[in-house]
């Protein structure tokens, strides 16, 4: 009988994470989980006051970096402003993103579509491109993208939002192809219905009653559930890459394909 090989040692805790969208929801929970696990975290978002609140709690370990992820110049300027001791980012969590509206494609707002594309696609791709070179140079790093089940499963009104998340899924896989032969890992986390974030309030533009109704009578997944999964991912041995992870609450499942009858 052959002995079971010893489990490979856990990787040394990568020291610096950059989490986009750390001012609310998943990004805030992921930042807290990483900080509690001993990481240093650069947290981004547009609401600087919320980032300052995190810095007040973790003055040494948390660095706020307020900028709009949708603008290339803003992202470049923000990253260039990082102090030298914070520039070697080991983990990029591309989380900032949003859905806007639930109208049919022939009625949806083009401004909403632009904003989702600029944030969920352009912002995520830009940050990745800006942070990858130092990861490749050091042959060390991990990119965790927050996609969505909307990138896998269509639903009425999901038109451009779902398509942006399909981009995130394919971009994640194409990054893996580009990074073959390096130690850099890439995962796409695809959450389903999740409460306790501002996601639906943003989607329905401040209509809190409509936002609340999305979660009525359902035990949705929580931001802490997603943060625990992100922490688990970074704790895997360095030779293990989880390509995609799709997560739903038990209460969410599948419906039959629709058939329009004449
Ligand atoms: N909640 C869900 O059911 C669910 C399910 C699947 C996937 N997701 C995905 O998970 C991610 C986080 O969603 P969430 O539910 O945590 O939403 P949330 O509570 O609304 O948080 C979104 C975060 O993204 C940031 N953000 C949005 N636009 C930005 C911009 N232009 N520049 C910089 N930061 C920006 C926000 O920060 P500021 O407003 O301060 O800029 C905020 O911190 C998104 O990518 C979303 O698509 C959510």
């Amino acid at each position: 009988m052959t002995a079971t090989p010893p489990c490979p040692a856990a990787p040394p805790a990568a020291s610096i994470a950059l989490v986009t969208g750390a001012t609310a929801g998943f990004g805030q929970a992921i930042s807290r989980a990483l900080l509690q696990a001993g990481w240093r975290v650069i947290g981004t978002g547009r609401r600087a006051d919320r980032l300052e609140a995190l810095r007040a709690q973790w003055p040494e370990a948390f660095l706020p970096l307020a900028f709009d992820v949708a603008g290339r110049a803003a992202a470049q300027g923000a990253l260039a402003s990082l102090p030298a001791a914070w520039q070697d980012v080991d983990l990029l969590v591309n989380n900032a993103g949003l859905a806007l509206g639930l109208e049919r494609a022939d009625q949806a707002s083009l401004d909403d579509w632009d904003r989702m594309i600029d944030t969920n696609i352009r912002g995520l791709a830009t940050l990745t491109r800006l942070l990858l070179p130092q990861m490749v140079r050091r042959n060390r790093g991990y990119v965790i993208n927050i996609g969505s089940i909307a990138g896998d499963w269509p639903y009425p009104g999901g038109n451009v939002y779902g398509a942006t998340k399909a981009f995130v899924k394919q971009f994640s896989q194409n990054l893996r192809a580009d990074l073959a032969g390096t130690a850099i890992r890439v995962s796409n986390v695809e959450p389903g219905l999740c409460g306790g974030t501002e996601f639906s309030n943003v989607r329905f533009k401040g209509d809190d009653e409509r936002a609340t109704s999305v979660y009525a009578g359902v035990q949705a997944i929580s931001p802490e559930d997603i943060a625990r999964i992100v922490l688990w991912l970074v704790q895997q041995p360095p030779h293990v890459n989880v390509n995609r992870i799709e997560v739903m609450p038990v209460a969410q499942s599948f419906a039959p394909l629709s058939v329009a009858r004449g």
Side-chain angles (χ1 to χ4, degrees), residues 19-187:
V19 181
T20 67
T23 57
F26 295 165
Q28 193 175 82
I30 292 165
S31 298
R32 288 184 189 283
L34 290 168
L35 286 160
Q36 277 156 10
W39 290 64
R40 287 194 286 157
V41 174
I42 302 161
T44 85
R46 289 162 300 180
R47 286 168 290 181
D49 54 327
R50 294 206 180 182
L51 298 176
E52 285 305 331
L54 281 171
R55 175 157 51 187
Q57 265 185 286
W58 283 279
E60 304 297 326
F62 183 82
L63 186 75
L65 199 62
F67 65 97
D68 186 334
V69 82
R72 188 203 291 186
Q76 281 171 322
L79 293 180
S81 78
L82 284 174
W86 288 82
Q87 281 176 7
D88 285 345
V89 173
D90 300 292
L91 168 65
L92 166 62
V93 183
N94 273 318
N95 161 77
L98 78 172
L100 289 171
L102 204 53
E103 290 80 25
R104 275 174 30 164
D106 56 315
Q107 292 157 5
S109 149
L110 274 174
D111 287 341
D112 286 354
W113 282 12
D114 283 350
R115 219 166 118 215
M116 288 188 279
I117 291 166
D118 287 348
T119 311
N120 302 359
I121 296 181
R122 200 184 305 280
L124 180 141
T126 301
L127 262 243
T128 306
R129 175 63 183 83
L130 292 176
L131 284 170
L132 266 183
Q134 52 83 30
M135 289 187 183
V136 171
R137 194 171 59 248
R138 296 182 301 124
N139 197 27
R140 175 186 170 95
Y142 198 159
V143 178
I144 297 183
N145 292 326
I146 306 297
S148 169
I149 62 166
D152 302 306
W153 308 103
Y155 60 86
N159 40 64
V160 163
Y161 176 65
T164 65
K165 293 303 185 175
F167 171 92
V168 174
K169 176 174 63 177
Q170 194 62 25
F171 184 58
S172 304
Q173 295 182 160
N174 283 343
L175 284 175
R176 292 231 54 231
D178 282 357
L179 294 166
T182 75
I184 298 160
R185 296 186 283 178
V186 184
S187 299

Side-chain angles (χ1 to χ4, degrees), residues 205-222:
K205 300 168 184 167
D207 183 343
D208 291 339
E209 205 174 318
R210 191 172 176 202
T212 306
S213 72
V214 173
Y215 312 101
V218 179
Q219 184 170 4
I221 44 181
S222 70

Side-chain angles (χ1 to χ4, degrees), residues 8 142 176 183 185-187 232-233 236-243:
Y142 198 159
R176 292 231 54 231
R185 296 186 283 178
V186 184
S187 299
W232 175 80
L233 285 173
Q236 295 310 299
H239 67 283
V240 174
N241 194 98
V242 177
N243 294 339

